[in-house]
Coordinates of all heavy atoms in Angstrom, one line a residue:
V1 N -35.8 12.5 6.3 CA -34.7 12.8 5.3 C -34.1 14.2 5.6 O -34.7 15.1 6.2 CB -35.3 12.8 3.9 CG1 -35.7 11.4 3.5 CG2 -36.4 13.8 3.7
M2 N -32.9 14.4 5.1 CA -32.2 15.7 5.4 C -32.3 16.6 4.2 O -32.5 16.2 3.1 CB -30.7 15.4 5.7 CG -30.5 14.6 7.0 SD -28.7 14.4 7.3 CE -28.8 13.4 8.8
T3 N -32.0 17.9 4.5 CA -31.8 18.8 3.4 C -30.5 18.5 2.7 O -29.6 17.9 3.3 CB -31.8 20.3 3.9 OG1 -30.7 20.4 4.8 CG2 -33.1 20.6 4.7
E4 N -30.4 19.0 1.5 CA -29.2 18.8 0.7 C -28.0 19.4 1.4 O -26.9 18.8 1.5 CB -29.3 19.3 -0.7 CG -28.1 19.2 -1.5 CD -28.2 19.8 -2.9 OE1 -29.0 19.2 -3.7 OE2 -27.6 20.8 -3.2
Q5 N -28.1 20.6 2.0 CA -27.0 21.3 2.6 C -26.6 20.5 3.8 O -25.4 20.3 4.1 CB -27.4 22.7 3.0 CG -26.3 23.5 3.7 CD -26.8 24.8 4.2 OE1 -27.9 25.2 3.9 NE2 -25.9 25.5 4.9
R6 N -27.5 20.1 4.7 CA -27.1 19.3 5.9 C -26.5 18.0 5.6 O -25.5 17.7 6.2 CB -28.4 19.1 6.7 CG -28.1 18.5 8.1 CD -29.4 18.1 8.8 NE -29.1 17.6 10.2 CZ -30.1 17.0 10.9 NH1 -31.3 16.9 10.5 NH2 -29.8 16.6 12.1
A7 N -27.0 17.3 4.6 CA -26.4 16.0 4.3 C -25.0 16.2 3.8 O -24.1 15.4 4.1 CB -27.3 15.3 3.2
C8 N -24.8 17.2 2.9 CA -23.5 17.4 2.3 C -22.5 17.9 3.4 O -21.3 17.5 3.4 CB -23.5 18.4 1.2 SG -24.3 17.8 -0.3
R9 N -23.0 18.7 4.4 CA -22.2 19.2 5.5 C -21.7 18.0 6.3 O -20.5 17.9 6.7 CB -22.9 20.2 6.3 CG -22.0 20.8 7.4 CD -22.8 22.0 8.1 NE -24.0 21.5 8.8 CZ -25.2 21.9 8.4 NH1 -25.4 22.7 7.4 NH2 -26.2 21.5 9.1
L10 N -22.6 17.1 6.7 CA -22.2 15.9 7.5 C -21.2 15.0 6.7 O -20.2 14.5 7.2 CB -23.4 15.2 7.9 CG -24.3 15.9 8.9 CD1 -25.5 15.0 9.3 CD2 -23.6 16.4 10.2
M11 N -21.6 14.7 5.4 CA -20.7 13.8 4.7 C -19.4 14.4 4.3 O -18.4 13.7 4.1 CB -21.5 13.4 3.4 CG -22.6 12.4 3.7 SD -22.2 11.0 4.7 CE -20.9 10.2 3.7
S12 N -19.3 15.7 4.2 CA -18.0 16.3 3.9 C -17.1 16.1 5.1 O -15.9 15.9 5.0 CB -18.1 17.8 3.6 OG -18.6 18.5 4.8
Q13 N -17.6 16.1 6.4 CA -16.8 15.8 7.5 C -16.4 14.3 7.5 O -15.2 14.0 7.9 CB -17.6 16.1 8.8 CG -18.0 17.6 9.0 CD -18.7 17.8 10.3 OE1 -18.4 17.3 11.3 NE2 -19.8 18.6 10.2
V14 N -17.3 13.5 7.1 CA -16.9 12.0 7.0 C -15.8 11.9 6.0 O -14.8 11.2 6.3 CB -18.1 11.2 6.6 CG1 -17.7 9.8 6.3 CG2 -19.2 11.2 7.6
C15 N -15.9 12.5 4.9 CA -14.8 12.3 3.9 C -13.5 13.0 4.3 O -12.4 12.5 3.9 CB -15.3 13.0 2.5 SG -16.6 12.1 1.7
A16 N -13.6 14.0 5.1 CA -12.4 14.7 5.6 C -11.6 13.7 6.5 O -10.4 13.6 6.5 CB -12.7 15.9 6.4
A17 N -12.4 13.0 7.4 CA -11.7 12.0 8.3 C -11.2 10.8 7.5 O -10.1 10.3 7.7 CB -12.7 11.5 9.3
L18 N -11.9 10.4 6.4 CA -11.4 9.3 5.6 C -10.2 9.7 4.8 O -9.3 8.9 4.5 CB -12.5 8.9 4.6 CG -13.7 8.0 5.3 CD1 -14.7 7.7 4.2 CD2 -13.1 6.7 5.9
A19 N -10.1 11.0 4.4 CA -8.9 11.5 3.7 C -7.7 11.3 4.6 O -6.6 10.9 4.1 CB -9.1 13.0 3.4
A20 N -7.8 11.6 5.9 CA -6.7 11.5 6.8 C -6.3 10.0 6.9 O -5.2 9.6 7.0 CB -7.0 12.1 8.1
A21 N -7.4 9.1 7.0 CA -7.1 7.7 7.1 C -6.4 7.2 5.8 O -5.5 6.4 5.9 CB -8.4 6.9 7.3
H22 N -7.0 7.6 4.6 CA -6.4 7.1 3.4 C -4.9 7.6 3.2 O -4.1 6.9 2.7 CB -7.3 7.6 2.2 CG -8.6 7.0 2.2 ND1 -9.7 7.6 1.5 CD2 -9.1 5.9 2.8 CE1 -10.8 6.9 1.7 NE2 -10.5 5.8 2.5
D23 N -4.7 8.8 3.7 CA -3.3 9.3 3.6 C -2.3 8.4 4.4 O -1.1 8.4 4.1 CB -3.2 10.8 4.2 CG -3.8 11.8 3.2 OD1 -4.1 11.4 2.0 OD2 -4.1 12.9 3.6
N24 N -2.9 7.8 5.5 CA -2.0 7.0 6.3 C -2.2 5.5 6.0 O -1.8 4.6 6.8 CB -2.4 7.2 7.8 CG -1.9 8.5 8.3 OD1 -0.8 8.6 8.9 ND2 -2.7 9.5 8.2
G25 N -2.7 5.2 4.8 CA -2.8 3.8 4.4 C -3.8 3.0 5.0 O -3.6 1.7 5.2
I26 N -4.9 3.6 5.4 CA -6.0 2.9 6.1 C -7.3 2.9 5.3 O -7.7 4.0 4.9 CB -6.3 3.4 7.5 CG1 -5.0 3.4 8.4 CG2 -7.4 2.7 8.2 CD1 -5.1 4.2 9.7
V27 N -7.8 1.8 5.0 CA -9.1 1.7 4.3 C -10.1 1.1 5.4 O -9.9 0.0 5.9 CB -9.1 0.7 3.1 CG1 -10.4 0.7 2.4 CG2 -7.9 1.1 2.2
H28 N -11.2 1.9 5.6 CA -12.2 1.5 6.6 C -12.9 0.2 6.3 O -13.0 -0.7 7.2 CB -13.2 2.6 6.8 CG -14.0 2.5 8.1 ND1 -15.0 1.6 8.2 CD2 -14.0 3.1 9.3 CE1 -15.6 1.6 9.4 NE2 -15.0 2.6 10.0
R29 N -13.4 0.1 5.1 CA -14.1 -1.1 4.6 C -15.5 -1.4 5.2 O -16.1 -2.4 4.8 CB -13.2 -2.4 4.7 CG -11.9 -2.3 3.9 CD -11.4 -3.7 3.6 NE -11.0 -4.4 4.9 CZ -10.5 -5.6 4.9 NH1 -10.3 -6.2 3.8 NH2 -10.2 -6.2 6.0
D30 N -15.9 -0.6 6.2 CA -17.3 -0.9 6.7 C -18.0 0.4 7.0 O -18.6 0.6 8.1 CB -17.2 -1.7 8.0 CG -18.6 -2.3 8.4 OD1 -19.4 -2.4 7.5 OD2 -18.7 -2.7 9.5

């Protein structure tokens, strides 16, 4: 398992990429 800081750091990067996808009308769905 990860520390809270590490997990949030990685998932914030995931959400940043999804933000760009959502801005362009793309839903990953998987």
Side-chain angles (χ1 to χ4, degrees):
V1 296
M2 295 185 181
T3 65
E4 180 180 289
Q5 181 185 352
R6 185 187 184 191
C8 290
R9 184 171 63 245
L10 294 179
M11 288 308 300
S12 65
Q13 295 181 46
V14 172
C15 291
L18 286 176
H22 296 161
D23 287 345
N24 285 271
I26 300 169
V27 183
H28 192 286
R29 296 201 299 179
D30 196 21

